[in-house]
Amino acid sequence: MTTKKNNVLTQSQHEELIKILKVRFEKNMSRHKGIEWNKVENRLEANPEKLWSLNEMEITGGEPDVVDFDKTTNEYIFYDCSAESPKGRRSVCYDREGLGSRKEHKPKNNAIDMAAAMNIELLNEEQYKALQKLGNFDVKTSSWLKTPSDIRKLGGAIFADFRYGNVFVYHNGAQSYYAARGFRGVLKV
């Protein structure tokens, strides 16, 4: 569906994605109070490489949506807002080092490299908790989170989910992977 050449969408892909994002924006107004779609669309039109990244988020099941506007940087903030961790990004280790340390049953990829290829970043713990204030996400799945370097240096990585009406942040070895664990991304436009 995407055209990888220079990370630019075809005109039809561009138009289709704008329609999808607009419908999602209008359907979920509680996620972005005070933000106007026409301003978001103008920003997207001026940044085709960001639109390409949003398309990558979309085709891997992330259902990206605007969740905030950073007045300091003058950027709209998109998070993956799919109910569960994006299907096209599950069963992955945390990073390349974690993947390389597996002796057998290696998954095909890792969260950090996948996010980098999409030109997005993993949500951090604070962002994940902010997302959960917009709805209940990951009630059956979990998502890797951007892990602080002190934890990563010791071989660990963090992930989170929503259970029993609460957000839980846990740790695992960075080499672990599960069918129900993926990652959620953030993109600033």
Side-chain angles (χ1 to χ4, degrees):
M1 185 168 162
T2 60
T3 303
K4 297 268 182 178
K5 189 184 215 179
N6 299 325
N7 294 357
V8 176
L9 300 177
T10 65
Q11 186 61 35
S12 63
Q13 290 169 328
H14 177 108
E15 291 169 5
E16 180 64 22
L17 182 60
I18 291 290
K19 284 181 198 171
I20 290 168
L21 294 173
K22 181 178 182 183
V23 167
R24 185 173 296 132
F25 183 93
E26 291 172 347
K27 191 175 178 183
N28 297 285
M29 293 303 292
S30 62
R31 292 180 186 161
H32 31 256
K33 292 177 181 159
I35 297 175
E36 299 172 32
W37 171 253
N38 63 335
K39 291 181 180 179
V40 174
E41 184 175 3
N42 289 339
R43 181 71 55 87
L44 292 172
E45 296 291 351
N47 293 280
E49 73 286 351
K50 301 285 187 170
L51 202 56
W52 178 87
S53 293
L54 286 168
N55 194 60
E56 292 294 299
M57 293 169 80
E58 183 69 26
I59 64 174
T60 56
E63 300 178 20
D65 198 7
V66 180
V67 297
D68 204 358
F69 179 75
D70 186 331
K71 292 176 184 166
T72 307
T73 62
N74 197 35
E75 295 173 306
Y76 292 99
I77 301 170
F78 286 80
Y79 287 174
D80 285 307
C81 292
S82 55
E84 301 299 337
S85 197
K87 277 189 176 181
R89 299 186 230 152
R90 294 185 196 164
S91 296
V92 294
C93 292
Y94 177 72
D95 60 10
R96 187 177 303 158
E97 184 182 345
L99 179 62
S101 72
R102 289 197 67 88
K103 304 253 187 281
E104 54 186 35
H105 308 296
K106 290 186 177 200
K108 293 179 179 165
N109 214 333
N110 69 80
I112 295 295
D113 285 351
M114 287 179 74
M118 298 164 66
N119 294 321
I120 64 173
E121 291 190 21
L122 272 65
L123 292 181
N124 62 33
E125 185 175 348
E126 180 183 320
Q127 292 165 331
Y128 189 85
K129 288 178 178 177
L131 172 70
Q132 292 291 359
K133 291 178 182 174
L134 303 176
N136 296 336
F137 301 91
D138 288 337
V139 297
K140 298 176 187 171
T141 58
S142 61
S143 295
W144 286 115
L145 300 179
K146 189 172 185 179
T147 299
S149 59
D150 58 330
I151 294 172
R152 188 61 201 98
K153 284 178 188 171
L154 296 172
I158 60 172
F159 67 96
D161 61 24
F162 187 81
R163 305 288 195 276
Y164 309 108
N166 287 279
V167 175
F168 289 92
V169 178
Y170 311 87
H171 61 88
N172 234 160
Q175 76 282 1
S176 65
Y177 71 97
Y178 299 92
R181 182 175 308 149
F183 71 92
R184 292 177 182 276
V186 56
L187 179 72
K188 296 179 180 182
V189 183

